[in-house]
Amino acid sequence: SIDRRRNYLSSLTQEQALKILAGTGAVLTGGHFVYTSDTHGSAYVNKDAVYRFPVTTDILGKAIAEAFADFDVQVVVAPEKGAIKLGDRVAYHLSKMSMAAGGSEVMSVYLEKETVSEKIGDHTWSRGTGEFIAKRGYDKEITGKRTLVIEDVLNTGLTGIKSVACVHRLQGEIVGFGALCNRGGITAEKLGVPHLFSLTDVKMEIFTEEECLHSGPCSKNIPVNVEIGKGKQFLAGKNAP
């Protein structure tokens, strides 16, 4: 279960936050979606729909920041790309709270997906390693700092786990993990962090491709959504020779 301790005091209730998400068109149901983890489901939390609205994003970021107001956060870290906007708003409001109490501004940095280059003959190819790294001098802002990791939507938790691993490699001190929505029932223990707070917890079924064929949207012949999630890549792989 999510660790909701007494110092997690947010101005938004879960019901209010869900209403805000629904109002932006971010909560989609009754479809067939392929997630980043290559799993399938009939519902999707489209955080990109939220980020079109800067005021709404700010309200949600402020609510997450309030939950960590007493954690003495020095730097907020978010994985690219979606969580960057949210992480920035969380850091902004933590900075306001800190500076109002005579403290320092909270840094906002982000992690990028690592790529490596390989030369084969006359051609150089780039490929992703699947890990996150801190570039642009951001690694120095994380080392030795009290760090809050931010993610938008937790599905399998894989992006969160890899973000936490990157911060650990840089010897940052993780004090907590904040998320916009936890739809995979992810725990602090699974992420490897001391505290986890999510504005909303939404239970949605997740199917492997095989499970989807037997009892998920695939078994009902519901077309894959190619506009949201990894549906287009999934179908391209299916149609590849």
Side-chain angles (χ1 to χ4, degrees), residues 133-228:
I133 58 173
K135 299 168 65 175
R136 309 169 197 275
Y138 290 162
D139 52 341
K140 298 178 180 63
E141 301 298 345
I142 297 172
T143 302
K145 302 285 182 60
R146 292 177 60 82
T147 304
L148 172 65
V149 180
I150 292 293
E151 172 67 305
D152 36 40
V153 180
L154 288 168
N155 291 304
T156 63
L158 183 60
T159 297
I161 290 169
K162 290 185 175 182
S163 299
V164 167
C166 179
V167 173
H168 282 319
R169 286 196 301 271
L170 295 172
Q171 298 183 333
E173 179 190 353
I174 297 178
V175 297
F177 194 111
L180 185 64
C181 177
N182 186 351
R183 62 170 299 280
I186 304 303
T187 64
E189 289 74 19
K190 181 171 183 176
L191 294 172
V193 297
H195 304 290
L196 169 62
F197 171 82
S198 62
L199 270 183
T200 59
D201 302 325
V202 180
K203 278 292 182 183
M204 297 181 185
E205 284 188 296
I206 299 176
F207 304 92
T208 65
E209 187 176 342
E210 184 178 349
E211 291 169 341
C212 192
L213 287 168
H214 287 91
S215 57
C218 288
S219 69
K220 301 171 185 175
N221 294 316
I222 299 174
V224 172
N225 190 309
V226 296
E227 302 297 326
I228 296 173

